[in-house]
Amino acid sequence: MAFPQQRLRRTRRTPGLRALVRETGLSPEGFVYPIFVAAGEDVRRPVDSMPGVYQLSINNAVGEAKRVRALGVPAVLLFGIPDHKDETASGAYDPEGIVQLAVRAIKDAVPELIVITDVCLCEYTSHGHCGVVEGETGEVMNDVTLELLARTAASHAEAGADIVAPSDMMDGRIAAIRSELDREGFENTPIMAYSAKYASAFYGPFREAAESAPRFGDRRSYQMDPANAREALREVRLDIEENADIVMVKPALPYLDIIHRVRQETDLPLAAYNVSGEYAMIKAAARQGWLDERSVVLEALTSIRRAGADIIISYFAPQVAEWLAE
């Protein structure tokens, strides 16, 4: 019908009407909160570029896990900061490594909390790359790295991790990890694959938090070119063929189109990582009074859900859970 009989503003007039017809919503149950676990005792070291985010020793990480679970956030994603690094990332797959110890402590204290572990080598290698580096060429060796990633994932599952999340972007790593998990008796441990992980400039604050910046070169030979979209769908298809249980797009806000296209591609649960640079930008603008933090965060995260993500990994998760509870 022609105007004025058709008036779309009719259902926008009041908060109640707007809520009644709202198409997309946020809920704490859809969030995952990243935690940086550091070696040491009673560590609570602020990350300068990420206000409100800290490197936490295991005892403080347990306290943080309890806090976020009480707010209704169902899951955390653990990143380890070891006290020793070497060329073969031995701390990543050490049964007594920082993540393995943290998983046990958190699962003992908050057994109902879902504990996801980041499976990568960059926090544990002396050179900061996500795999084994070949001599003077500096090339990250794919197939040798797969063995270490598989050992790491199995050690996390042995410690009690509910989900393992490989973020390295090596070819074939989902199949290698699935095979190792099954061989070690962890056939029921799901894999959340960082399927479309871009070589993004938005990771800078994370690399400060995780102390994982590469000592030389960059990660463009294994992370995806930001210009490519069809390649992301190929990566997702390969991870699904290799039996990933959840697929992920990272970062989120600059790649909403990719989230949407992946959503059309698969019915698997889809995660999106609202990364450190996205968090830092909003925090910085809010501190300057240029943006209203609460309104912008809720709008940004709603856009990620609207694009098709089922799960949002975000440093804002506890704040948003508090806002939603109000």
Side-chain angles (χ1 to χ4, degrees), residues 169-291:
M169 291 300 287
M170 297 297 117
D171 291 331
R173 87 267 202 221
I174 304 304
I177 289 170
R178 183 74 271 159
S179 177
E180 182 74 7
L181 289 173
D182 292 355
R183 183 166 49 248
E184 294 296 323
F186 302 112
E187 62 276 359
N188 292 323
T189 300
I191 298 174
M192 178 164 68
Y194 287 64
S195 298
K197 181 179 180 181
Y198 284 86
S200 173
F202 284 85
Y203 301 151
F206 172 91
R207 290 173 182 171
E208 176 193 346
E211 300 180 8
S212 63
R215 295 287 182 89
F216 58 87
D218 55 40
R219 294 175 177 152
R220 294 179 183 276
S221 69
Y222 43 102
Q223 294 178 359
M224 282 189 56
D225 187 330
N228 292 358
R230 295 189 300 272
E231 185 183 6
L233 301 183
R234 292 177 62 197
E235 288 279 12
V236 168
R237 291 186 200 112
L238 284 170
D239 284 354
I240 293 171
E241 288 172 10
E242 294 177 19
N243 292 308
D245 300 281
I246 303 168
V247 293
M248 187 199 300
V249 175
K250 179 183 181 183
L253 291 176
Y255 297 90
L256 294 176
D257 61 318
I258 306 301
I259 296 171
H260 178 70
R261 291 179 69 165
V262 172
R263 176 75 292 158
Q264 307 309 306
E265 181 77 16
T266 179
D267 291 328
L268 280 184
L270 172 58
Y273 201 139
N274 178 221
V275 300
S276 60
E278 299 167 50
Y279 175 90
M281 287 194 305
I282 293 175
K283 282 289 187 182
R287 284 193 165 191
Q288 290 293 327
W290 296 335
L291 294 174

Side-chain angles (χ1 to χ4, degrees), residues 125-139:
T125 53
S126 52
H127 46 70
H129 277 284
C130 301
V132 177
V133 169
E134 173 78 1
E136 296 180 0
T137 66
E139 181 182 355

Side-chain angles (χ1 to χ4, degrees), residues 37-41 43 45 56-58 81-84 98:
V37 188
E41 294 292 330
V43 175
R45 188 178 302 119
L56 301 171
S57 53
I58 290 174
I81 306 167
D83 56 5
H84 168 74
I98 186 66

